[in-house]
Every structure is written in structure tokens, then in C-alpha cells.
Amino acid sequence: MSKHSVELTINGRRHCSDVEARTSLSDFLRDDAGYTGVHLGCEHGVCGACTVMVDGKAVRSCLMLAVQADGKTVKTAEGLAQPDGTLHPVQQAMMEEAGLQCGFCTPGFVMTLAALTDGDQRPSEEELLGALSGNVCRCTGYQGIRRAAKRLAGTATGEES
Ligand code: FES
Ligand code: FES
């Protein structure tokens, strides 16, 4: 099987490798680059667990080929916290609002929210909650995750429980 050379910047580090054309970005990130925070649930673009940022946009990495990501900048959940361990605001909000239980879905939710809130973006509560509709969680009942999103939008009231 012929291989193709790809070069990505992942969490600030360059990563070069030769991959088969059919290799998904999710498999590449997990198996080749070692970023196992990219979780795989459905592998059909339905659950959102594999969500990463590609050039700042949320992408389901099970639906993208590694060769399509050649030359792009990828961020996974491992790349969100500061080097000193300070959590990203999305991670902090998820932690403080109890937005996770088993944690399997969590990297996908966190990356979905981070793609909307990073930089100077000021998404509305509606936009944040709407974005979450593409991610599936089997544990939490979503209320903690919704509270985290509202906190990020600046509209948390403390009433939802
Ligand atoms: S594993 Fe990619 S969307 Fe479910
Ligand atoms: S916390 Fe377990 S699937 Fe969401």
C-alpha cells in the first residue's frame, strides 16, 4: 500500500509521518501521534467524541483523512491547558459545573466549546448550546454541560441543576 507524507502542527509541535491514504485524522492523532485524548465512539460522525480543532474550527476527526489535514494546525484536548497546568476556561467551567462523569465524551464537548470561545469570539448562549447538540453524552444528562456553556456565555444563573 502506498503511503503519503503528511506534516501537521499538533498542539504547537510539528509532526511528520507517512500514512496510508485511508488513514483517518482520528487514527493518525491517536495511533501515530499519541494523542489518545481524541476519543472514538461511533466513528461515523454522529457522537462528536473525536472532535478536535483544525485551523481553529471544530472538526470530527473520524470524518477527516490525515492527508486532508496535511499542512494544517490541529489542537486536541491535550493542547488546551497552559504549560503550567492552568486549565483552559472551557475545562475550568466543565470542572466547576460538574459537566462530566466517566469523561469519555468530555474531550469532544470541550473542543466544541473551545472552538467557539477561543480568541476574541463572544458566542451567545444560544450558539453555544446549539453547538453542543452535535455531541452525545451517555452519563450526565447534559445539565452540567449546559451550565458550563452558559457560564462561558456569561448567562449562568445558578438556577439550573
Ligand atoms: S467518533 Fe467521530 S463523531 Fe463519533
Ligand atoms: S460523561 Fe460519560 S459519556 Fe459523557
Side-chain angles (χ1 to χ4, degrees):
M1 185 94 47
S2 68
K3 296 213 168 184
H4 304 266
S5 175
V6 295
E7 181 176 331
L8 286 68
T9 302
I10 308 170
N11 298 333
R13 292 186 181 173
R14 276 182 52 207
H15 190 94
C16 308
S17 196
D18 293 330
V19 299
E20 292 180 8
R22 65 181 180 177
T23 303
S24 67
L25 177 59
S26 54
D27 283 346
F28 177 80
L29 290 170
R30 286 179 56 83
D31 302 335
D32 201 300
Y35 291 102
T36 53
V38 180
H39 289 177
L40 285 172
C42 65
E43 298 191 58
H44 283 89
V46 176
C47 73
C50 66
T51 303
V52 299
M53 274 192 247
V54 177
D55 288 347
K57 302 255 188 283
V59 166
R60 281 155 203 254
S61 59
C62 71
L63 293 184
M64 187 173 199
L65 297 172
V67 292
Q68 291 177 298
D70 184 31
K72 297 189 185 300
T73 297
V74 176
K75 188 180 276 191
T76 71
E78 289 97 330
L80 284 182
Q82 298 295 316
D84 68 359
T86 303
L87 293 179
H88 185 281
V90 173
Q91 294 172 311
Q92 190 71 32
M94 287 284 275
M95 184 182 75
E96 292 180 5
E97 298 293 353
L100 64 148
Q101 288 183 24
C102 82
F104 186 83
C105 68
T106 309
F109 275 99
V110 166
M111 296 312 292
T112 297
L113 291 171
L116 283 176
T117 56
D118 271 4
D120 295 332
Q121 301 180 89
R122 293 285 177 269
S124 66
E125 175 183 317
E126 191 175 30
E127 288 171 319
L128 287 166
L129 294 178
L132 293 182
S133 66
N135 290 69
V136 174
C137 175
R138 299 184 69 170
C139 300
T140 63
Y142 298 99
Q143 294 310 311
I145 300 168
R146 288 171 57 85
R147 287 197 301 272
K150 289 181 179 185
R151 177 183 285 230
L152 291 163
T155 54
T157 62
E159 291 171 6
E160 199 175 359
S161 63

